[in-house]
Amino acid sequence: MFLVSRASLVLLLLTLSGLTGLAQSVDLEACRSLRSQRDDLASHAMEQEITLVRSVRGKICPHLAAKAEAANARDQAYGPLDSFDFAAWSHCRQEAEDRLAHSRPIRFRNQQGFVFYTPQGARFAAKADRLSAVLRVSACP
């Protein structure tokens, strides 16, 4: 799925072997490639969690969830946004987060402290964190 480029692999090997000076001279393309891979993984991880939270919110408050989705899609089928009950939506979001926290195990917590409940989201997030660590020790700009 996410392949490491040859330049990224060279950078990683140089860094892990303690040759950070040489690793720093590897062209910036390796750093860009690693950053792009990390960002893609983190994005996929978040998509998994967002899908989960949306499904829980849809069960708790289906009308508000539909109205919020429609507003996000700029669909006017549900009327203007000024009629949207933001307090109820905030309560619904909090309820969904509470239900997840009490009904599912935490599969991973990333370096920023974000919690992942889905297996796939946790895998993507863990890979993204590993690439972040490589970027840090590689002194990528």
Side-chain angles (χ1 to χ4, degrees):
M1 181 186 300
F2 294 97
L3 301 175
V4 177
S5 69
R6 183 173 292 179
S8 300
L9 189 56
V10 168
L11 178 62
L12 175 62
L13 292 172
L14 290 172
T15 301
L16 293 177
S17 66
L19 301 173
T20 54
L22 186 55
Q24 290 173 353
S25 68
V26 173
D27 66 58
L28 293 177
E29 188 55 39
C31 290
R32 281 190 208 106
S33 175
L34 285 172
R35 242 187 269 101
S36 176
Q37 289 175 45
R38 184 230 21 229
D39 293 349
D40 286 345
L41 288 164
S43 177
H44 289 306
M46 294 300 292
E47 287 171 5
Q48 296 295 314
E49 301 309 304
I50 289 168
T51 299
L52 175 63
V53 171
R54 278 185 179 155
S55 72
V56 172
R57 279 193 319 243
K59 292 173 186 169
I60 297 170
C61 49
H63 180 69
L64 282 172
K67 200 168 186 176
E69 290 295 322
N72 284 338
R74 299 180 191 265
D75 181 354
Q76 298 303 314
Y78 288 94
L81 201 54
D82 58 349
S83 68
F84 189 74
D85 187 346
F86 287 99
W89 182 239
S90 178
H91 177 73
C92 179
R93 291 177 60 151
Q94 185 61 49
E95 177 68 23
E97 290 173 16
D98 290 347
R99 283 192 190 182
L100 283 172
H102 291 95
S103 66
R104 289 183 169 251
I106 294 174
R107 296 186 183 275
F108 185 74
R109 186 181 305 267
N110 72 2
Q111 294 170 357
Q112 291 77 31
F114 189 86
V115 173
F116 293 85
Y117 296 105
T118 65
Q120 192 68 9
R123 279 192 293 277
F124 285 139
K127 288 177 183 179
D129 272 7
R130 286 192 294 274
L131 284 178
S132 289
V134 169
L135 285 164
R136 265 193 316 280
V137 300
S138 300
C140 280

